[in-house]
Amino acid sequence: MPDYEIDELMCALMAREIRDGDWVNHGAVVPLAGAALMLARNTHAPNLDFFYLGTVFNSVDPAENDLAKMMFEPRLAMTSSRCLISHHDILSLTLRGRCDFQFLRPIQIDAHGSVNVSLIGSHEAPRYRFHGIAVADAMVLVNRVGLYVTEHEPRVFVEELAFRTGTGHVEAGAWRKRVGAPGQGPVSVTTPLCVMDFETPERRARLRSVHPGVSVEEVVAATGFELVIPGEVPESAPPSAGELRVLREVVDPLATRKTEFKQWRAEANARLAAARAAR
């Protein structure tokens, strides 16, 4: 049996998408992505800069690394950072092509990496509405976009989106050059079963690796569009002992990242509520 859980594997794999020296935009309510950012910053990317909790610019700061503590008291991030930056300035920076990477968690993804974070159902009478913000611009402007989902099912990976909020690699990516889009669009998709990328001539989703214990056939059965399958599909490299130590002891000891997983959400929220009450 592995000595890690799927949230830890996904966190490590997502962290490895980040390069040392990257500038990353980050929302405050996606703790799995936040944990991946903090993990990268405390391991292979010490020169990582990112926008966090809506206003905070992090270079070597803030001094606080614990995600749960900053969720409980956002001022810990703000007061230990050397500089604050407004949302207006973040948009300006992104529009100028200065954002290197951003994580996005869509509700649907198609074969070319286009995403839906707007609605499920018909446009006239949707069954569910979602925020639909901070995605269309990121998919066009951010240099590299790392998609991730915490459920790998045909209803998530679909042949046709209910609504296209953000455009991936349609026309084999030719549209980006035609309209002058500065970003590369999505470069990877991390799921509980595998990692995908778009490194094909058609810029179609390709199976990059399968997680330990998962077969190619399982991934294909759980995907609602036809995946590109290479001749050999490697196994995703598990988190190292060092990555696990940093994640469990430094970055996210209360496992806030588990709130993004349906099977752990209630337990994780209860644990966080107890910790908040005890403060």
Side-chain angles (χ1 to χ4, degrees):
M1 293 292 291
D3 61 350
Y4 56 85
E5 294 187 297
I6 190 61
D7 60 298
E8 294 171 321
L9 172 60
M10 286 184 63
C11 192
L13 293 170
M14 290 165 62
R16 295 170 194 162
E17 295 291 320
I18 298 165
R19 303 170 186 170
D20 195 23
D22 273 348
W23 166 270
V24 180
N25 287 353
H26 175 65
V29 290
V30 281
L32 180 60
L37 273 167
M38 290 293 191
L39 178 60
R41 177 174 175 253
N42 283 273
T43 53
H44 68 276
N47 298 302
L48 168 67
D49 293 335
F50 56 96
F51 177 55
Y52 187 64
L53 288 177
T55 56
V56 181
F57 171 85
N58 292 330
S59 182
V60 294
D61 300 304
E64 184 58 66
N65 287 286
D66 189 314
L67 287 174
K69 288 181 180 178
M70 286 192 284
M71 284 175 62
F72 298 156
E73 297 184 68
R75 66 176 182 81
L76 292 176
M78 298 178 184
T79 55
S80 63
S81 177
R82 293 182 182 178
C83 136
L84 305 180
I85 186 168
S86 71
H87 191 69
H88 178 276
D89 288 332
I90 283 296
L91 291 175
S92 174
L93 187 73
T94 305
L95 284 166
R96 287 182 279 123
R98 297 296 301 275
C99 181
D100 299 305
F101 187 84
Q102 186 167 342
F103 286 119
L104 296 175
R105 179 187 169 181
I107 56 174
Q108 289 181 324
I109 304 172
D110 73 9
H112 292 282
S114 295
V115 301
N116 173 20
V117 294
S118 296
L119 60 85
I120 293 296
S122 70
H123 298 187
E124 297 76 19
R127 283 189 292 143
Y128 302 100
R129 290 184 185 273
F130 301 90
H131 61 82
I133 61 171
V135 170
D137 54 347
M139 293 285 281
V140 174
L141 300 170
V142 173
N143 188 33
R144 306 182 330 272
V145 173
L147 304 177
Y148 76 100
V149 294
T150 56
E151 295 177 80
H152 191 139
E153 300 176 0
R155 66 183 178 86
V156 175
F157 291 95
V158 295
E159 191 65 49
E160 184 176 353
L161 301 170
F163 186 94
R164 189 169 78 187
T165 314
T167 302
H169 302 292
V170 299
E171 302 175 18
W175 76 273
R176 291 182 179 277
K177 187 174 183 179
R178 188 174 69 251
V179 304
Q184 297 180 44
V187 295
S188 63
V189 187
T190 306
T191 90
L193 300 181
C194 68
V195 179
M196 305 174 189
D197 61 27
F198 301 90
E199 298 299 319
T200 65
E202 300 82 16
R203 304 307 304 275
R204 188 178 178 91
R206 180 188 75 150
L207 189 56
R208 181 198 289 179
S209 68
V210 293
H211 300 340
V214 177
S215 69
V216 171
E217 291 73 23
E218 286 177 278
V219 175
V220 169
T223 305
F225 54 74
E226 185 177 352
L227 268 169
V228 177
I229 310 295
E232 292 186 15
V233 181
E235 193 173 82
S236 306
S240 68
E243 287 172 322
L244 288 174
R245 183 193 63 78
V246 171
L247 182 59
R248 293 170 178 175
E249 299 177 16
V250 178
V251 169
D252 196 19
L254 283 178
T256 64
R257 60 191 178 275
K258 288 184 181 289
T259 60
E260 290 206 52
F261 293 81
K262 182 169 62 176
Q263 67 269 36
W264 292 313
R265 188 168 297 135
E267 176 189 346
N269 283 331
R271 181 171 56 251
L272 290 170
R276 186 192 297 270
R279 288 181 67 82

